[in-house]
Amino acid sequence: MKLETKNLTKNYIVPKSGEVNVLKGIDLLINSGEKVALTGPSGAGKSTLIHILGLMDKPTSGKVLIDDKDITSFTPTKLAKMRKENIGFVFQFHYLLADFTVMENILMPVWNERKTKKEYALNMLETMGLTDRANHMPNELSGGEQQRVALARALINNPKILFADEPTGNLDRKTGEKIETLMFEMCNKLKTTLLVVTHSRELANLADRQIKIIDGKIC
Ligand SMILES: Nc1ncnc2c1ncn2[C@@H]1O[C@H](COP(=O)(O)OP(=O)(O)OP(=O)(O)O)[C@@H](O)[C@H]1O
Ligand SMILES: [Mg+2]
């Protein structure tokens, strides 16, 4: 899927200190299947941008186009459908549900089709070297294992676009690099467009292209 923004801005109103201009006119084009690393200093607006692109937040002004469709005009129902069918997300923290097994967590986004999707989930667990962890609870996993499960959950629906916001930021370097490589391999295989926020040069170097954002602008 192609992802485009036109003059995107985001302001937050903060009580007492007034308005904060976080994104200051972002023009972006990410082609279908492209893997892009988003870098930049802390506070530059990376998470804000990726949340808007992942349809979890709204811009103050400007446009977000997915496959040339302007989603800023979508109704909440249409947005939810677009998100469910096309978008996967991995965060810095795994957000696995503590009371559900690894397998159940992976199947959560496709719960109504869990019977037919189970084999696919098992295949993913195998790719990730986690076959023998399917029935574990999240707190019985290492940080790297939890993050791989979060990646499997993000990919269970075969999203057209995967967003990852510092997906390995909480892990040691070696574990992080392994998971990053796995994420790129899986996106290659599934032809998934990838936008990954990272502070890691290694991860950024795996991408087709790097975009740097400083103080709310692309440079
Ligand atoms: N809900 C909010 N209300 C007010 N200001 C906010 C809000 N969310 C973020 N900000 C501000 O917007 C700026 C950008 O935040 P953002 O989380 O996008 O940065 P980032 O580039 O992801 O940084 P990091 O690398 O530390 O994760 C920051 O200065 C932050 O304080
Ligand atoms: Mg951030």
Side-chain angles (χ1 to χ4, degrees), residues 41-48 50-51 92 165-166 197 199:
S42 179
K46 305 180 297 296
S47 294
T48 304
I50 202 173
H51 283 107
Q92 189 168 6
D165 193 353
E166 298 190 50
V197 176
H199 289 288

Side-chain angles (χ1 to χ4, degrees), residues 171-179:
L171 304 172
D172 67 79
R173 193 175 160 139
K174 216 171 140 201
T175 309
E177 280 173 18
K178 258 195 213 155
I179 296 176

Side-chain angles (χ1 to χ4, degrees), residues 128-145:
M128 296 182 176
L130 289 175
T131 306
D132 54 352
R133 293 288 186 274
N135 297 315
H136 281 229
M137 302 308 280
N139 67 358
E140 296 165 351
L141 302 177
S142 73
E145 289 169 345

Side-chain angles (χ1 to χ4, degrees), residues 99-113:
D99 297 333
F100 293 87
T101 65
V102 163
M103 179 51 87
E104 288 165 345
N105 266 285
I106 294 174
L107 291 171
M108 205 55 74
V110 290
W111 198 247
N112 292 336
E113 310 149 66

Side-chain angles (χ1 to χ4, degrees), residues 35-39 173 177 180-181 183-184 188 194 196-211:
K35 283 160 226 46
V36 176
L38 183 60
T39 63
R173 193 175 160 139
E177 280 173 18
E180 287 153 16
T181 311
M183 183 174 75
F184 273 84
N188 273 335
L194 174 68
V196 55
V197 176
T198 183
H199 289 288
S200 142
R201 184 163 300 172
E202 284 80 13
L203 178 51
N205 283 339
L206 289 174
D208 301 323
R209 183 155 65 96
Q210 296 185 28
I211 295 173

